[in-house]
Amino acid sequence: INVPSKYGAWATNLKTGISGGALNQNSRAAAEKEAIKTCEKGGRNAPCVVAAWVRNGCIAVAQGKSGNKWKAFPGVKEPGLAEAEALRKCQASGYSQCTIFAPEGCSMPQY
Protein backbone atom coordinates (compact mmCIF):
# COMPACT_ATOMS: atom_id res chain seq x y z
CA ILE A 1 0.00 0.00 0.00
CA ASN A 2 1.40 3.38 -0.99
CA VAL A 3 0.38 5.98 1.60
CA PRO A 4 1.77 9.46 0.85
CA SER A 5 3.51 11.26 3.69
CA LYS A 6 2.08 14.47 5.18
CA TYR A 7 4.17 17.42 6.36
CA GLY A 8 3.79 20.30 8.77
CA ALA A 9 5.94 23.34 9.58
CA TRP A 10 6.15 26.28 11.97
CA ALA A 11 7.66 29.65 11.05
CA THR A 12 8.40 32.74 13.14
CA ASN A 13 9.57 36.31 12.83
CA LEU A 14 12.67 36.40 15.04
CA LYS A 15 12.19 40.10 15.91
CA THR A 16 8.46 40.21 16.67
CA GLY A 17 7.90 36.63 17.83
CA ILE A 18 4.78 36.40 15.68
CA SER A 19 4.46 32.95 14.15
CA GLY A 20 2.34 30.75 11.93
CA GLY A 21 2.10 27.17 10.91
CA ALA A 22 0.83 24.70 8.36
CA LEU A 23 -0.36 21.10 8.63
CA ASN A 24 -1.21 18.25 6.27
CA GLN A 25 0.78 19.47 3.29
CA ASN A 26 1.99 17.09 0.56
CA SER A 27 5.69 18.05 0.78
CA ARG A 28 8.14 19.66 3.16
CA ALA A 29 8.56 22.57 0.73
CA ALA A 30 4.78 23.15 0.60
CA ALA A 31 4.53 23.03 4.41
CA GLU A 32 7.39 25.49 4.85
CA LYS A 33 5.99 27.85 2.19
CA GLU A 34 2.51 27.83 3.79
CA ALA A 35 3.92 28.33 7.31
CA ILE A 36 5.92 31.38 6.14
CA LYS A 37 2.86 32.74 4.30
CA THR A 38 0.69 32.31 7.41
CA CYS A 39 3.36 33.90 9.61
CA GLU A 40 3.96 36.89 7.34
CA LYS A 41 0.22 37.69 7.07
CA GLY A 42 0.35 39.28 3.65
CA GLY A 43 3.76 40.88 4.22
CA ARG A 44 2.84 42.75 7.41
CA ASN A 45 5.06 40.49 9.52
CA ALA A 46 7.91 39.74 7.10
CA PRO A 47 10.43 38.24 7.23
CA CYS A 48 9.55 34.88 8.78
CA VAL A 49 11.82 31.85 8.86
CA VAL A 50 11.00 28.17 9.32
CA ALA A 51 11.85 27.10 12.86
CA ALA A 52 10.68 23.48 12.71
CA TRP A 53 9.06 20.95 10.39
CA VAL A 54 7.61 17.47 10.72
CA ARG A 55 6.93 14.49 8.45
CA ASN A 56 4.20 12.09 9.54
CA GLY A 57 4.20 13.43 13.08
CA CYS A 58 3.19 16.28 15.35
CA ILE A 59 4.56 19.67 16.25
CA ALA A 60 3.93 21.93 19.25
CA VAL A 61 5.64 25.07 20.53
CA ALA A 62 6.43 26.10 24.10
CA GLN A 63 7.70 29.49 25.19
CA GLY A 64 9.81 30.39 28.17
CA LYS A 65 11.23 33.49 29.78
CA SER A 66 14.80 34.40 30.64
CA GLY A 67 15.18 37.85 32.17
CA ASN A 68 12.83 40.00 30.10
CA LYS A 69 13.19 37.93 26.93
CA TRP A 70 10.87 35.20 25.68
CA LYS A 71 12.02 32.34 23.46
CA ALA A 72 10.07 29.66 21.59
CA PHE A 73 10.93 25.96 21.66
CA PRO A 74 9.37 23.65 19.06
CA GLY A 75 8.76 20.01 19.89
CA VAL A 76 8.43 17.47 17.09
CA LYS A 77 7.27 13.99 18.05
CA GLU A 78 4.66 11.30 17.50
CA PRO A 79 1.02 12.04 18.47
CA GLY A 80 0.51 12.94 22.11
CA LEU A 81 4.17 13.75 22.82
CA ALA A 82 4.99 17.00 20.98
CA GLU A 83 3.83 19.35 23.77
CA ALA A 84 5.87 17.46 26.39
CA GLU A 85 8.93 17.60 24.12
CA ALA A 86 8.53 21.37 23.61
CA LEU A 87 8.23 21.93 27.38
CA ARG A 88 11.23 19.66 28.03
CA LYS A 89 13.39 21.67 25.60
CA CYS A 90 12.30 24.95 27.21
CA GLN A 91 13.07 23.77 30.73
CA ALA A 92 16.35 22.10 29.73
CA SER A 93 17.51 25.43 28.28
CA GLY A 94 17.14 27.09 31.68
CA TYR A 95 14.10 29.20 30.81
CA SER A 96 11.34 29.79 33.35
CA GLN A 97 7.57 30.12 32.99
CA CYS A 98 7.59 27.50 30.22
CA THR A 99 4.09 27.13 28.77
CA ILE A 100 2.56 25.79 25.57
CA PHE A 101 2.34 28.60 23.03
CA ALA A 102 1.02 26.56 20.08
CA PRO A 103 -0.82 23.33 20.94
CA GLU A 104 0.07 20.07 19.25
CA GLY A 105 -0.94 19.79 15.61
CA CYS A 106 -0.36 16.64 13.60
CA SER A 107 0.31 15.86 9.96
CA MET A 108 -0.38 12.17 9.52
CA PRO A 109 -0.84 10.04 6.38
CA GLN A 110 -4.44 9.46 5.36
CA TYR A 111 -5.23 5.81 4.72
Side-chain angles (χ1 to χ4, degrees):
I1 299 174
N2 180 16
V3 181
S5 294
K6 290 293 182 180
Y7 296 81
W10 177 70
T12 187
N13 178 307
L14 298 175
K15 285 189 174 185
T16 66
I18 294 172
S19 61
L23 294 172
N24 294 315
Q25 301 295 308
N26 292 323
S27 69
R28 177 180 174 184
E32 290 180 350
K33 182 178 178 181
E34 185 63 24
I36 288 171
K37 180 180 168 186
T38 302
C39 176
E40 291 183 348
K41 298 175 177 40
R44 293 188 308 270
N45 188 46
C48 289
V49 296
V50 173
W53 66 277
V54 63
R55 174 181 171 261
N56 299 335
C58 304
I59 191 166
V61 182
Q63 68 178 2
K65 189 174 185 183
S66 178
N68 63 353
K69 287 193 169 191
W70 289 87
K71 184 175 178 182
F73 298 87
V76 176
K77 284 287 197 179
E78 55 270 16
L81 300 176
E83 289 183 9
E85 175 68 5
L87 288 170
R88 184 197 66 74
K89 284 181 173 180
C90 179
Q91 293 160 348
S93 295
Y95 281 70
S96 64
Q97 301 178 34
C98 294
T99 57
I100 294 298
F101 173 71
E104 179 177 277
C106 300
S107 295
M108 303 300 288
Q110 304 296 313
Y111 295 96

